[in-house]
């Protein structure tokens, strides 16, 4: 009986240790990953740039996603894309030719 309690206690301690080391890794998002906010903003910027080549303007480009991607600002000379990421951080990309950065436009 004592051996069962000791092995159960050891298993619980090991499970607790593994949970505390794995939770941060599972909830952390990597901005540099292929599906990260920087790459998603760059892909959306390609769509905006291509539409600009066709229409001659950045205004009225239909980039809006119910998951948090939107064209926040646009005029004849440039645009600003905004993305609300899964951890509620906001990223933006000012274009043309900008880099993705944290914070709103």
């Amino acid at each position: 009986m004592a051996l069962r309690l000791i092995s159960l206690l050891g298993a619980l301690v090991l499970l607790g240790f593994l949970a505390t080391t794995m939770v941060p890794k599972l909830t952390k998002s990597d901005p540099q990953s292929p599906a990260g906010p920087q790459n998603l903003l760059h892909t959306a910027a390609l769509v905006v740039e291509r539409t600009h080549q066709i229409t001659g303007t950045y205004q009225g480009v239909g980039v809006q996603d119910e998951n948090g991607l939107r064209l926040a600002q646009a005029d004849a000379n440039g645009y600003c894309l905004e993305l609300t990421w899964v951890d509620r951080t906001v990223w933006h990309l000012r274009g043309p030719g900008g880099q993705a950065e944290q914070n709103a436009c």
Side-chain angles (χ1 to χ4, degrees):
M1 182 71 159
L3 184 59
R4 286 183 185 175
L5 287 175
I6 291 173
S7 58
L8 178 62
L9 183 61
L12 289 174
V13 168
L14 181 62
L15 182 64
F17 173 74
L18 290 175
T20 58
T21 58
M22 289 302 294
V23 167
K25 291 179 182 177
L26 293 174
T27 58
K28 180 182 163 190
S29 65
D30 181 13
Q32 300 293 334
S33 75
Q38 293 176 344
N39 287 327
L40 291 175
L41 281 169
H42 283 289
T43 302
L46 292 173
V47 172
V48 172
E49 291 295 328
R50 182 65 179 144
T51 304
H52 177 259
Q53 289 175 349
I54 295 169
T55 64
T57 184
Y58 292 111
Q59 295 173 328
V61 176
V63 177
Q64 181 128 1
D65 180 25
E66 64 274 358
N67 295 325
L69 176 65
R70 69 186 188 99
L71 184 63
Q73 299 170 0
D75 60 22
N77 300 318
Y79 59 90
C80 186
L81 290 167
E82 250 181 29
L83 174 68
T84 303
W85 193 237
V86 292
D87 58 359
R88 301 287 183 221
T89 57
V90 177
W91 289 78
H92 77 275
L93 185 142
R94 288 195 184 278
Q99 294 296 318
E101 299 174 1
Q102 270 190 312
N103 297 319
C105 292

